[in-house]
């Protein structure tokens, strides 16, 4: 996975996209990117490499919720 900008910035963009596309089909690669981004941010939080961690944790939770809302089996 290649990020452009900060982890926080990527999370914000992903959450905005997920909100905008909430009831629409999303390509599986997009959902995979979002999931990989969540894992990347969680790894940063675990290694204490991310600051401020409270804000990053909130963004991770927000994106996790958006990914969990996605219907399974969509293209």
């Amino acid at each position: 996975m290649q990020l452009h900008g900060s982890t926080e910035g990527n999370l914000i963009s992903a959450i905005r996209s997920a909100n905008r596309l909430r009831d629409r089909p999303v390509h599986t690669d997009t959902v995979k990117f979002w999931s990989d981004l969540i894992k990347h941010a969680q790894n940063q939080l675990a290694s204490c490499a991310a600051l401020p961690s409270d804000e990053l944790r909130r963004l991770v939770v927000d994106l996790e919720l958006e990914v969990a809302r996605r219907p399974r089996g969509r293209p």
Side-chain angles (χ1 to χ4, degrees):
M1 175 181 75
Q2 183 176 2
L3 296 181
H4 300 283
S6 68
T7 301
E8 181 181 20
N10 279 271
L11 285 166
I12 291 168
S13 293
I15 292 165
R16 286 181 183 157
S17 293
N19 283 332
R20 187 177 66 252
L21 301 169
R22 183 170 287 160
D23 294 321
R24 297 181 185 168
V26 175
H27 198 278
T28 53
D29 287 347
T30 302
V31 177
K32 182 180 177 344
F33 177 81
W34 292 341
S35 298
D36 290 347
L37 180 56
I38 290 168
K39 289 176 190 168
H40 175 76
Q42 289 170 332
N43 288 338
Q44 278 193 331
L45 288 166
S47 69
C48 300
L51 293 174
S53 58
D54 289 341
E55 177 66 10
L56 194 60
R57 277 190 197 96
R58 185 188 63 76
L59 291 169
V60 168
V61 168
D62 288 350
L63 186 54
E64 285 174 328
L65 291 172
E66 287 300 327
V67 170
R69 287 184 183 128
R70 304 283 334 154
R72 301 290 179 225
R74 286 218 160 151

